[in-house]
Amino acid sequence: MNKIFLLIIFLLIKSIYIPLNKRGSKYYWKIKFDDRIPLIPIFVIPYIGFYIYILTTIIFLWNSKYINNYFITYIISYILACLFWFFVPNGVKRPKIYNTDIFSRITTYVHKYDNDTNGFPSEHVFATLICSYFLALAFPEHSILIWSINFFICISTVFVKQHYILDILGGIITFWLSLMIGGLFGRI
């Protein structure tokens, strides 16, 4: 398949998030352990860094043999997630932030403009895992850095109260399902 075509499909599929993010949540899957996780506003940096990670992944993989499989896996993951978000609208109830430091203000901004919907599965988790998986295949000498970035983006989701623990599990499951289904389209 042509990588330009897959990029266009990738962007179209990602745009489905916008209307789904405007819907109200019906389910909130908080467990007791979520109450023990503190709000740590500095983690908004890796949380927002997620968007840069996706862009740099595409740039780094663009001329590699992995770009088509990356797009196919990502598109599959997004279709699976969007179907779940549509049929089982769920989200995260966020705490009020009273601190006024820069990281708290940025976290408040994220909470304000990213509605409390589409929690399970966590896009940050499944997308970061997909990026990391294909980057590690393409650049194995940088695996420690790649998986470290992955770790910080994934844990940032609970430290900025954008996700619950179960949302992370959902992101991991979505990643594995997408990888397995993507394998049907070619070698992954």
Side-chain angles (χ1 to χ4, degrees), residues 118-139:
N118 307 334
F120 182 100
S122 168
E123 175 193 0
H124 272 65
V125 172
F126 69 73
T128 301
L129 285 166
I130 292 167
C131 291
S132 298
Y133 177 80
F134 285 103
L135 284 171
L137 286 176
F139 306 101

Side-chain angles (χ1 to χ4, degrees), residues 45-104:
I45 300 304
Y47 186 83
I48 292 171
F50 160 78
Y51 301 102
I52 297 166
Y53 197 54
I54 291 174
L55 181 61
T56 56
T57 297
I58 293 169
I59 292 167
F60 286 139
L61 292 179
W62 190 255
N63 290 318
S64 79
K65 65 182 181 180
Y66 300 106
I67 190 66
N68 287 353
N69 287 336
Y70 167 78
F71 280 136
I72 290 168
T73 305
Y74 201 117
I75 290 165
I76 292 167
S77 70
Y78 227 77
I79 290 169
L80 292 173
C82 285
L83 286 170
F84 196 85
W85 296 330
F86 180 79
F87 289 109
V88 189
N90 65 89
V92 178
K93 293 188 180 191
R94 299 172 183 143
K96 181 94 172 126
I97 300 174
Y98 298 101
N99 294 342
T100 58
D101 63 275
I102 185 71
F103 302 116
S104 295

